[in-house]
């Protein structure tokens, strides 16, 4: 107890285990502390037989342990063996609950009593977090469990499921087939659940298949020694105390994200954003000296990266220097830059040239550069076109680019070294607003959306600079045709960013018009109260402004504006804006013209009120954040399922759309199919960064998907499936004439294959002629529309 | 923005068909064959060839429809053209034959063609009329969901009936065992509503268990159930019966909707079972016609 380990490693994920193995190899005194009774809990919990992929392919592995693509079992086995052979000092069941810094060492608390001392700590606890317990006396009784692998295993039991999320609901519904199920929900509804799960559970409760205690909290778990049931749960219900006898209690309360624990160790996060990662040095050291962070917790979500870091961090702790494993990748990248000498020189050059990157840590810069590409385009080359849907971000290291701000007049604006562009589409999730040409000898860094978003969310200085530039450029683009820089600056300085939750009101009909909103993320609906009912008149996607009528006219708001989805606007104050208008008579005339047109439109819309109902319905179905959505006119659809067959046939046998599922309103049916969201939820936690957006807006999943299923969970519209590749099948005429193989639209995938990957609609981006579903529809019932067409579409259908 | 097969691209193929028809009529009127106009004149050959090519192309639609990655136009465009140009065939064929028909292989081809075309007319009618009716009938649910609910209701009804009375339980059980949705083509089209039979049986059982032999005047099962209910002294028993009535009527409403759904779907598909085989028969007859013309004329 009194000896102090040189290194204590917390968590035996790929990062921790690799660090421990390296320490054992070097005979450094160490201890590996793992909460679970086995190694690598995150990987242990993958589904049985899962094929684990070794992305990124180009990155070499550096670890005393082996790792290559293969089944979950073979990888865990190899690690178990490796750890045993190297003699790693491991303690299982050692959940670290607190870390205290003493003079020259740390004190790690295990559970409630035990302690371990160490000079250095490697924190590799990953992002999965610790499963939440019931938190009441008796919550560790033998019949209380927190996972459920196979619901069919249980039969004829009374089972209490505690929790109200998707996992709880799915378990409860599956268990109810063969068991008596009681659900305990702290709240009065299932607010966090997905649509489909909500429907299932509500129905099961209504039908009396599942009994549910709402607004109820568990109070205590008792073991019973007499009677038929092994235990009982005492509940605190709104009507008083209740007890339920049971065979089993399953707690599905989610996991505590590790952040609170990490912060309690003294590690600082840059901001409150859930995706923020703590800043660490090039040697993986956090702001607490001696405390190192590796793996997913530090923002590296893949196994190989974590293993490499585990190896390197031990080297660094011992005061040795190693060339990071990604050095060759960076060298290959920088090679194309004129005057390349070494990676570190090139990194420094980038950092001095681009002020935006000046404040980020060396490790962040390395990662940023690994994800990015160096572009050295020829003069005159188009970097991206106006109306493309790409969303990468560019920094200029050398040379300059020209932005075609006014297509008609051919007006171009030059951007020089140190400046950046592409932030508009990155932030708004919408089409490029201008075409950009390369100048002579320019060197650019092109960064994909995920890395840039991560950087923006991790470094406040970057966020501030990007936001300020966005506001300035957006205002100039919208209102600054003939204004002077000083005039624009005045408006910009008073402008603020405002966030609205879905459904929140920006302003109400009859309010004083004190500002104008330029929508930068999300979208709005405009409505008026007519005869006591809210009638939607219009839909405003990002990139447009609202509230100008009252600002110009100096009167009250003529309609109500509401956020259709989570929305961010640039708020421009009335007085500053009026001043700008007075200085620019042309702007004034242009706006007056627009006001006139909008008023006229609103009047026609009001007459066709049912169109507004269609807009409300579609916005409710996610069109407010869509870029392209499949709609089916049920008065034309003959239910032949040719659309689904076409999708399956052109996409390896699995249809990415479910025609029949999904709601219908006024004969407009929204099938379960990808909306190609402006800010795709599915992209959020993709460890392999496999989800991308193509220039025409298609959100697609590339082949480097590792099949983790995060995107399937994150998509609110339930359009992603995990699927294996189908067997090869014979051609069409062979089927028509000889009946060979499965018919069109049918090709069951290989049931034995465990190599499942995420599949979703890619709008047939690789097929000439466009979306197969639409082209295969014999009656014209299936169409795809973008939100810009929404008002027109809705009002064409309103009677 | 959704255009139907008829108004595809501003009735593009209607115009093509009209131009083709008018062209053929003009040629037919202007053309002056020796004797009566028939398939043997040069115009006859020309029109016959046009007709035969059209038929081959119309048949090819079956292949194009399944070539999902085919890049030539949309299936909707193809179908729009299929409908209009297919209809034109009536005129072209008659002009080609010079309006002569007899009892021979040539006329067999013509008759088959007309049958295919008229079944096609029904298809278009069905495609334009039934989808909206189907949506209305489904009332925001899906057939699977409705069937699942029916199965569940069946289970609950049985459980409840068990508590009420053995004879009612038996009646419901046998009605569930007998009730069936869908079935053969004919059953689908005539939409036999099995749950009505089930209710009739239930009514009998209720009567029997009630010890009454008098016939209900209204003949309404529901009324009978309520009668039975009124005669029961036991409170929980009557509560159970009330719930049983709710469940059975809910199931009946659902079963009616599912049966209607199946019927509509069948109506939208049944004609293809005439259209496709006859169009293949037509291909055979046409081949025979052309061969016979070349060999024996
Ligand atoms: C379903 C799924 C599939 C995936 N597939 C792949 C793939 O195919 N290829 C790939 O490269 N990546 C894949 N990933 C990502 C990969 O699993 C993670 O990037 C990797 O596991 C991260 O390693 P880590 O060492 O940072 O943390 P983790 O692997 O998460 O390990 C953390 C360990 O710390 C323990 N721990 C946590 N808190 C404490 C505490 N307080 N005290 C003691 N111990 C603690 C945990 O029990 C766990 O064992 C997948 C992820 C998921 C969820
Ligand atoms: C390559 C295409 C065709 C050729 C070369 C062809 C040729 C002929 C000829 C030479 C005749 C005259 C025979 C007679 O007067 O008895 C004829 C008659 C006829 N053809 Fe065709 N034909 C063709 C396509 C068609 C098609 C597509 C149809 C319609 C399905 C059709 C239906 C008829 C009919 C009904 C007659 C009249 C038979 C009668 O006189 O009783 N033919 N055809
Ligand atoms: C001799 C003339 C015709 C031939 C040979 C023919 C042949 C075909 C064939 C082979 C199919 C494909 C069916 C399938 O594989 O699913 C088809 C479909 C169809 N045909 Fe015809 N057809 C003819 C005329 C017509 C006419 C005149 C009409 C309508 C006025 C018509 C309406 C249709 C319709 C609505 C379909 C269904 C399309 C679908 O559901 O995909 N056809 N026809
Ligand atoms: S998969 Fe889901 S989250 Fe991703 S773009 Fe499509 S609809 Fe949006
Ligand atoms: S695409 Fe989906 S399943 Fe594949 S790695 Fe990304 S998040 Fe995981």
């Amino acid at each position: 107890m009194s000896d102090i380990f040189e290194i204590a490693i917390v968590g035996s994920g790929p990062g921790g285990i690799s660090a421990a193995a390296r320490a054992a190899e070097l005979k450094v005194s160490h201890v590996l502390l793992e909460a679970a009774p086995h190694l690598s809990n995150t990987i242990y919990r993958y589904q049985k037989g899962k094929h684990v992929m070794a992305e990124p392919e180009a990155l070499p592995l550096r670890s005393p342990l082996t790792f290559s693509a293969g089944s979950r079992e073979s990888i865990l086995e190899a690690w178990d063996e490796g750890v045993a052979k190297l003699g790693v000092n491991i303690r299982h069941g050692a959940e670290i609950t607190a870390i205290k810094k003493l003079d020259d060492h740390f004190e790690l608390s295990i559970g409630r009593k035990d302690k371990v001392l160490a000079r250095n700590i490697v924190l590799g606890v990953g992002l999965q977090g610790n499963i939440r317990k019931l938190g009441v006396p008796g919550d560790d009784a033998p019949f209380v469990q927190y996972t459920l692998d196979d619901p069919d295993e249980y039969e004829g039991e009374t089972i209490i499921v505690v929790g109200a999320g998707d996992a709880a609901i799915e378990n409860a519904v599956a268990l109810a087939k063969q068991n008596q199920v009681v659900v305990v929900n702290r709240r009065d509804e299932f607010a966090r659940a997905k649509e489909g799960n909500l429907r299932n559970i509500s129905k099961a409760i209504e039908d009396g298949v599942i009994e549910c205690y709402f607004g109820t909290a568990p109070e205590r778990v008792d073991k019973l020694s007499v009677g038929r049931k092994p235990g009982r749960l005492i509940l605190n219900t709104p009507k008083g105390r209740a007890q339920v006898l049971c065979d089993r209690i399953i707690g599905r309360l989610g996991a505590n994200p590790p952040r609170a624990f990490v912060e309690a160790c003294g590690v600082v996060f840059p901001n409150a954003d859930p995706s923020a990662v703590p800043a660490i040095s090039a040697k993986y050291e956090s702001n607490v000296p001696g405390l190192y962070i590796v793996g997913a917790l530090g923002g590296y979500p893949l196994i190989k990266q974590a293993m490499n870091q585990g190896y390197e961090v031990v080297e660094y702790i011992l005061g040795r220097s190693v060339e990071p494993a990604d050095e060759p990748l960076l060298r290959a990248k920088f090679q194309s830059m004129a005057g390349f000498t070494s990676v570190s020189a090139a990194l420094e050059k980038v950092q001095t040239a681009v002020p935006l990157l000046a404040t980020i840590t060396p490790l962040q810069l390395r990662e940023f550069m690994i994800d990015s590409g160096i572009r050295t385009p020829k003069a005159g080359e188009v970097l991206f076109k106006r109306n493309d849907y790409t969303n990468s971000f560019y920094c200029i290291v050398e040379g300059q680019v020209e932005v075609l701000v006014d297509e008609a007049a051919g007006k171009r604006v030059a951007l020089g070294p140190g400046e950046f562009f592409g932030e508009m589409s990155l932030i708004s999730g919408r089409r490029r607003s201008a075409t950009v040409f390369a100048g002579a000898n320019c060197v650019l860094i092109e960064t994909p959306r995920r890395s840039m978003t991560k950087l923006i969310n991790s470094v406040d200085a970057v966020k501030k600079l990007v936001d300020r530039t966005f506001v300035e450029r957006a205002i100039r683009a919208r209102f600054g045709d003939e204004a002077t820089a000083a005039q624009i600056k005045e408006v910009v300085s008073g402008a603020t960013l405002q966030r609205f939750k879905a459904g929140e009101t920006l302003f109400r009909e009859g309010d004083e018009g004190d500002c104008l909103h330029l929508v930068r993320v999300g979208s709005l609906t405009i409505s008026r109260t007519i005869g006591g009912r809210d009638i939607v008149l219009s839909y405003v996607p990002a990139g447009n402004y609202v509230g100008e009528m009252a600002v110009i006219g100096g009167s009250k708001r003529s309609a109500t504006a509401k956020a259709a989805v989570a929305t961010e606007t640039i708020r421009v104050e009335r007085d500053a804006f009026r001043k700008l208008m007075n200085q620019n008579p042309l702007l004034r005339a242009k706006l007056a013209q627009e006001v006139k047109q909008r008023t006229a439109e609103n009047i026609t819309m009001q007459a066709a009120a049912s169109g507004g109902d269609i807009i409300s319905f579609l916005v409710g179905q996610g069109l407010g954040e869509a870029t392209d959505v499949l709609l089916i006119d049920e008065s034309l659809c003959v239910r032949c399922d040719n659309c689904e067959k076409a999708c399956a046939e052109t996409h390896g046998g699995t249809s990415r759309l479910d025609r029949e599922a999904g709601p219908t309103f006024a004969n407009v049916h929204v099938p379960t199919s990808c909306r190609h969201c402006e800010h795709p939820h599915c992209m959020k936690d993709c460890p392999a960064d496999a989800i991308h957006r193509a220039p025409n807006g298609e959100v697609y999943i590339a082949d480097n998907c590792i099949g983790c299923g995060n995107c399937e969970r994150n998509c609110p519209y339930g359009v992603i499936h995990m699927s294996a590749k189908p067997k090869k099948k014979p051609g069409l005429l062979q089927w028509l004439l000889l009946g060979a193989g499965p018919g069109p639209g049918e090709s069951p995938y290989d049931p034995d294959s465990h190599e499942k990957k995420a599949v979703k609609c890619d709008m047939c981006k690789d097929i000439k002629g466009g979306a197969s579903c639409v082209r295969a529809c014999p009656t014209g019932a299936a169409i795809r529309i973008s939100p810009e067409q929404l008002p027109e579409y809705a009002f064409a259908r309103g009677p | 923005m959704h255009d139907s097969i008829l108004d595809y691209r501003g009735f593009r193929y209607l115009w093509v068909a009209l131009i083709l028809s008018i062209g053929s009529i003009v040629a037919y009127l202007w053309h002056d064959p020796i004797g009566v106009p028939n398939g043997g004149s040069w115009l006859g050959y020309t029109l016959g060839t046009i007709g035969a090519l059209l038929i081959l192309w119309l048949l090819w639609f079956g292949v194009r429809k399944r070539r999902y990655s085919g890049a030539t136009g949309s299936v909707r465009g193809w179908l729009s053209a299929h409908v209009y140009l297919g209809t034109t065939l009536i005129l072209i064929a008659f002009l080609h034959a010079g309006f002569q028909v007899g009892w021979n292989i040539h006329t067999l081809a013509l008759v088959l063609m007309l049958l295919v075309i008229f079944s096609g007319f029904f298809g278009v009618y069905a495609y334009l009329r039934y989808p909206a009716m189907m949506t209305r009938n489904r009332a925001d649910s899906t057939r699977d969901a409705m069937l699942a609910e029916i199965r569940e209701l069946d289970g609950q009804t049985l459980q409840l009936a068990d508590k009420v009375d053995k004879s009612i339980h038996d009646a419901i059980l046998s009605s569930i065992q007998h009730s069936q949705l869908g079935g053969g083509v004919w059953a689908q089209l005539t939409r036999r509503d099995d749950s009505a039979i089930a209710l009739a049986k239930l009514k009998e059982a209720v009567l029997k268990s009630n010890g009454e032999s008098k016939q209900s005047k209204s003949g309404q099962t529901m009324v009978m159930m309520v009668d039975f209910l009124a005669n029961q002294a036991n409170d929980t028993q009557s509560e159970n019966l009330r719930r049983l009535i709710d469940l059975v009527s809910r199931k009946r409403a659902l079963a009616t909707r599912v049966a209607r759904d199946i019927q509509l779907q069948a109506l939208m598909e049944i004609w293809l079972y005439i259209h496709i085989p006859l169009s293949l028969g037509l291909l055979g007859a046409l081949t025979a016609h052309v061969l016979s013309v070349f060999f024996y004329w």
Side-chain angles (χ1 to χ4, degrees):
Chain A
M1 196 39 220
S2 58
D3 30 319
I4 302 181
F5 292 104
E6 189 58 36
I7 308 175
I9 299 136
V10 185
S12 68
I17 205 174
S18 176
R22 182 63 182 156
E25 197 176 42
L26 297 174
K27 309 257 181 297
V28 178
S29 89
H30 70 278
V31 61
L32 174 59
L33 303 160
E34 167 58 54
H38 40 251
L39 289 179
S40 271
N41 198 30
T42 300
I43 292 165
Y44 187 87
R45 276 172 35 207
Y46 290 178
Q47 119 208 35
K48 282 199 192 84
K50 180 189 182 301
H51 181 86
V52 182
M53 287 158 239
E55 295 289 330
E57 239 170 271
L59 187 69
L61 175 73
R62 183 190 280 163
S63 170
L65 299 172
T66 58
F67 173 61
S68 57
S71 74
R72 154 190 176 276
E73 287 72 17
S74 66
I75 286 163
L76 288 175
E77 201 176 307
W79 288 352
D80 280 337
E81 243 169 59
V83 164
K85 203 158 81 206
L86 290 165
V88 171
N89 176 26
I90 177 162
R91 266 185 80 169
H92 283 296
E95 179 180 344
I96 302 303
T97 48
I99 295 178
K100 231 184 7 217
K101 172 112 193 160
L102 304 177
D103 315 330
D104 66 336
H105 64 273
F106 294 92
E107 181 188 278
L108 300 90
S109 313
I110 301 177
R112 282 167 200 158
K113 333 176 238 302
D114 216 351
K115 283 185 171 50
V116 164
L117 305 177
R119 253 182 271 291
N120 297 288
I121 292 182
V122 176
L123 210 50
V125 293
L127 285 178
Q128 301 298 313
N130 288 319
I131 289 184
R132 270 195 206 117
K133 302 249 170 103
L134 295 183
V136 297
D139 65 1
D140 49 1
F143 53 87
V144 181
Q145 64 188 62
Y146 297 96
T147 55
L148 176 68
D149 290 333
D150 181 10
D152 296 337
E153 234 172 75
Y154 308 100
E155 205 181 326
E157 295 189 354
T158 302
I159 302 178
I160 305 176
V161 177
V162 185
D166 286 308
I169 296 177
E170 279 160 24
N171 287 176
V173 171
L175 285 167
K177 276 190 217 131
Q178 310 192 52
N179 303 280
Q180 182 95 26
V181 174
V182 179
V183 172
V184 176
N185 182 352
R186 248 173 240 274
R187 301 215 237 159
D188 294 330
E189 47 175 19
F190 291 90
R192 282 178 294 131
K194 281 194 192 172
E195 200 56 36
N197 281 332
L198 187 61
R199 227 177 300 130
N200 289 345
I201 189 85
S202 309
K203 206 169 157 304
I205 292 173
E206 202 174 291
D207 295 348
V209 176
I210 289 179
E211 192 184 348
C212 181
Y213 286 89
F214 286 103
T216 295
E219 195 179 284
R220 160 175 113 234
V221 179
D222 291 336
K223 261 192 264 186
L224 302 180
S225 46
V226 289
R228 276 186 299 154
K229 304 285 180 198
R232 77 170 162 209
L233 180 64
I234 309 289
L235 296 169
N236 217 333
T237 76
K239 292 200 202 109
R241 197 167 289 151
Q243 68 156 343
V244 183
L245 297 177
C246 62
D247 294 291
R248 193 174 300 282
I249 298 175
I250 299 182
R252 296 316 301 262
L253 300 163
N256 274 321
R259 175 160 173 169
F261 164 67
V262 178
E263 278 179 330
C265 300
V267 176
V268 177
F269 284 70
N271 54 45
D273 194 290
S275 64
V277 289
I280 44 183
S281 75
K283 300 198 151 94
Y284 309 117
E285 196 165 6
S286 69
N287 61 300
V288 181
L291 196 146
Y292 297 77
I293 292 178
V294 297
L297 181 63
Y300 297 84
L302 290 170
I303 295 172
K304 214 197 278 176
Q305 295 168 328
M307 291 181 78
N308 287 351
Q309 294 185 345
Y311 175 98
E312 287 160 14
V313 78
V314 170
E315 298 289 312
Y316 292 140
I317 289 174
L318 298 179
R320 309 199 223 181
S321 75
V322 274
E323 184 180 78
D326 51 26
E327 187 87 358
L329 298 184
L330 278 178
R331 195 174 301 126
K333 252 187 195 143
F334 281 122
Q335 219 98 58
S336 63
M337 226 156 95
F340 171 79
T341 50
S342 73
V343 170
S344 55
L347 284 173
E348 204 180 307
K349 181 165 158 190
V350 165
Q351 206 155 22
T352 41
V354 185
L356 181 70
L357 304 177
T359 54
I360 72 178
T361 67
L363 197 63
Q364 278 167 335
L365 181 64
R366 282 189 90 90
E367 197 202 350
F368 180 81
M369 285 312 305
I370 286 204
D371 292 343
S372 307
I374 305 269
R375 299 261 170 286
T376 48
K378 287 201 265 313
E381 202 177 306
V382 173
L383 295 166
F384 53 72
K385 283 215 263 316
R386 191 178 125 88
N387 287 341
D388 270 3
Y389 256 118
T390 50
N391 48 22
S392 53
F393 179 92
Y394 292 82
C395 295
I396 307 175
V397 183
E398 278 171 27
Q400 59 176 20
V401 300
E402 289 185 344
V403 186
L404 184 59
V405 287
D406 187 341
E407 211 131 311
K411 190 172 144 201
R412 294 186 179 202
V413 170
L415 296 177
E419 292 194 90
F420 55 83
F421 58 98
E423 79 290 348
M424 292 259 185
S425 289
L426 178 81
I427 289 173
S428 69
R430 297 189 56 83
R431 299 166 189 273
R432 297 289 193 192
S433 56
T435 304
V436 177
F437 298 91
N441 301 326
C442 72
V443 178
L444 308 171
I445 304 172
E446 181 182 1
T447 313
R449 173 184 191 269
R450 180 178 76 158
S451 316
M452 197 58 215
T453 313
K454 191 161 140 193
L455 190 67
I456 289 178
N457 289 334
S458 312
V459 186
D460 271 342
V462 173
K463 180 170 170 57
K464 282 211 186 83
L465 186 53
V466 171
D467 276 346
R468 202 174 56 220
T469 312
F470 184 102
V471 170
E472 192 189 314
R473 288 185 183 165
I475 289 179
R476 191 197 303 279
R478 276 288 164 193
F479 312 116
D481 280 350
E482 26 145 31
T484 63
Q487 287 168 350
I488 290 287
K489 206 163 167 199
E490 205 182 325
V491 179
V492 170
S493 67
T496 45
L497 288 178
Q498 275 193 304
R499 278 167 189 263
F500 299 91
K501 287 201 266 310
E504 209 177 321
T505 307
L506 278 73
F507 52 76
R508 251 176 240 292
E509 189 176 348
D511 281 358
E512 193 63 42
D514 55 353
C515 69
L516 168 156
H517 291 272
L518 190 52
V519 185
R520 90 170 189 151
V521 181
S523 58
L524 311 173
T525 55
I526 306 295
S527 59
R528 293 198 56 196
T529 314
I530 299 169
R533 213 168 79 82
D534 249 3
I535 307 272
V536 173
L537 298 179
S538 185
Y539 166 82
V540 180
N544 298 292
Y545 47 85
V546 293
E548 81 294 354
M549 286 193 188
V551 169
I552 294 171
S555 55
K556 304 217 179 302
R557 301 288 192 199
S558 61
T560 301
K562 271 195 193 137
V565 290
T567 297
E568 257 180 67
T569 67
I570 301 172
R571 180 190 160 108
V572 180
E573 298 306 323
R574 175 177 61 191
D575 297 339
F577 192 73
R578 284 213 179 132
K579 192 166 162 201
L580 181 73
M581 260 188 340
N582 291 338
Q583 288 159 337
N584 299 278
L586 247 102
L587 175 65
R588 175 171 216 124
K590 192 175 104 185
L591 285 170
Q593 182 61 34
E594 260 167 51
V595 168
K596 225 193 264 168
Q597 196 181 331
R598 273 201 183 171
T599 315
E601 273 168 18
N602 283 355
I603 289 171
T604 34
M605 303 271 170
Q606 237 161 287
S610 61
D613 295 343
I614 295 182
I615 294 195
S616 309
F617 164 70
L618 289 176
V619 164
Q621 294 311 313
L623 248 74
E625 56 176 336
T627 62
D628 190 291
V629 64
L630 176 65
L631 297 181
I632 292 181
D633 183 344
E634 287 215 328
S635 64
L636 290 176
C637 168
V638 295
R639 279 69 167 178
C640 64
D641 278 338
N642 226 26
C643 45
E644 277 190 23
K645 287 179 199 152
C647 184
E649 194 66 8
T650 48
H651 293 88
T654 320
S655 174
R656 283 97 207 274
L657 83 104
D658 184 342
R659 176 193 57 78
E660 201 177 9
T664 306
F665 176 80
N667 272 330
V668 179
H669 176 65
V670 187
T672 300
S673 154
C674 180
R675 275 89 163 139
H676 300 275
C677 305
E678 289 177 343
H679 290 282
H681 307 275
C682 51
M683 281 186 190
K684 220 162 12 205
D685 298 318
C686 173
D689 196 14
I691 309 184
H692 306 281
R693 163 156 258 149
N696 290 324
E698 307 92 343
V699 174
Y700 66 96
I701 302 183
D703 244 8
N704 62 335
C705 161
I706 54 174
C708 70
N710 283 353
C711 52
E712 186 186 21
R713 273 187 294 280
N714 281 337
C715 169
Y717 308 109
V719 309
I720 299 187
H721 311 283
M722 309 306 293
S723 167
K725 284 212 168 81
K727 295 184 174 134
K728 185 126 184 67
K729 64 187 236 185
L732 173 61
L733 284 179
Q734 248 169 302
W735 170 79
L736 264 184
L737 304 175
L738 308 171
E746 319 161 6
S747 56
Y749 57 76
D750 209 344
D752 306 330
S753 170
H754 286 293
E755 196 174 342
K756 287 197 179 166
K757 294 195 174 196
V759 299
K760 67 177 281 298
C761 162
D762 60 359
M763 274 208 277
C764 298
K765 67 184 180 58
D766 301 323
I767 296 171
K768 219 170 82 203
S772 303
C773 48
V774 170
R775 285 191 312 130
C777 173
T779 62
I783 62 163
R784 306 198 70 103
I785 71 165
S786 64
E788 288 91 349
Q789 297 164 291
L790 181 56
E792 189 198 339
Y793 173 80
F795 289 103
R797 293 191 65 89
Chain B
M1 274 185 241
H2 303 271
D3 4 303
S4 76
I5 38 181
L6 296 183
D7 54 14
Y8 177 73
R9 296 265 163 105
F11 297 96
R12 175 192 287 184
Y13 293 103
L14 173 62
W15 293 111
V16 174
L18 280 179
I19 290 166
L20 187 61
S21 309
I22 293 167
S24 314
I25 294 175
V26 169
Y28 184 78
L29 294 179
W30 168 78
H31 174 63
D32 190 12
I34 320 139
V36 264
N38 75 3
S41 65
W42 68 263
L43 181 68
Y45 273 102
T46 312
L47 287 175
T49 310
I50 294 179
L53 289 178
L54 266 179
I55 287 176
L56 289 179
W57 175 80
L58 290 165
L59 280 166
W60 188 250
F61 176 69
V63 174
R64 168 62 185 91
K65 191 181 150 187
R66 294 179 177 79
R67 287 246 159 119
Y68 296 111
S69 47
T72 40
S74 64
V75 173
R76 173 171 40 137
W78 271 71
L79 185 57
S80 185
H82 183 93
V83 166
Y84 285 119
L85 296 179
T87 309
T88 322
L89 258 181
I90 307 179
L91 182 75
I92 291 180
F94 275 107
L95 293 182
H96 155 70
F99 297 96
Q100 302 178 32
V101 280
W103 291 109
N104 51 27
I105 181 83
H106 320 311
T107 305
L108 175 64
L110 183 70
V111 169
L112 282 175
M113 186 192 84
L114 290 176
L115 284 176
V116 172
I117 293 178
F118 285 114
S119 66
F121 286 162
F122 175 77
V124 171
Y125 170 79
Y127 277 21
L128 292 183
R129 184 167 156 74
Y130 296 140
M133 289 168 68
M134 207 163 168
T135 305
R136 224 171 304 133
N137 179 53
R138 277 191 185 178
D140 254 358
S141 188
T142 64
R143 190 189 298 171
D144 282 347
M146 289 192 279
L147 285 173
E149 198 177 339
I150 288 180
R151 270 196 300 278
E152 256 182 56
L153 286 173
D154 280 348
Q156 288 178 36
T157 318
L158 266 185
Q159 256 182 16
L160 201 59
D162 200 25
K163 290 188 200 155
V164 176
D165 187 291
K166 167 118 179 44
S167 60
I168 291 188
H169 179 268
D170 290 349
I172 287 183
L173 182 64
S174 86
S175 84
I176 289 172
Q177 281 162 348
H178 285 99
S179 102
Q180 128 203 37
L181 288 160
V185 177
W186 186 245
Q188 292 190 17
L189 285 175
T190 51
R191 111 168 123 109
R192 204 175 70 230
D193 191 351
D194 294 295
S195 62
I197 305 170
L199 274 176
K201 285 205 180 124
L202 194 58
K203 167 180 121 184
E204 243 169 70
V206 171
L207 273 175
K208 239 189 276 158
S209 80
N210 218 4
E212 292 176 37
S213 54
K214 67 165 194 249
Q215 277 303 119
S216 148
K217 270 165 236 137
S218 67
Q220 282 280 315
T221 316
M222 288 303 133
V223 175
M224 296 312 301
M225 299 270 281
V226 174
D227 275 357
F228 178 56
L229 204 157
N231 291 335
Q232 290 287 325
N234 189 330
D235 251 8
T236 49
Q237 193 76 331
S238 48
E239 172 56 32
N240 283 342
L241 259 179
R242 211 173 277 128
R243 276 195 60 202
L244 200 55
I245 294 171
D246 287 351
L247 290 178
V248 174
S249 16
R250 168 102 186 108
K251 174 189 168 178
R252 186 189 180 177
L254 273 175
T256 313
R257 267 206 270 144
V258 172
R260 176 82 176 131
D261 193 60
I262 293 175
Q263 182 197 26
L264 288 170
Q265 177 111 42
L267 280 170
M268 284 197 292
E269 282 166 11
I270 187 71
W271 66 276
L272 272 172
Y273 290 91
I274 300 171
H275 199 69
I276 300 173
L278 288 192
S279 69
L280 292 176
L282 168 62
L283 183 64
L286 181 64
T287 317
H289 166 60
V290 175
L291 287 180
S292 70
V293 163
F294 279 125
F295 280 107
Y296 303 109
W297 199 247

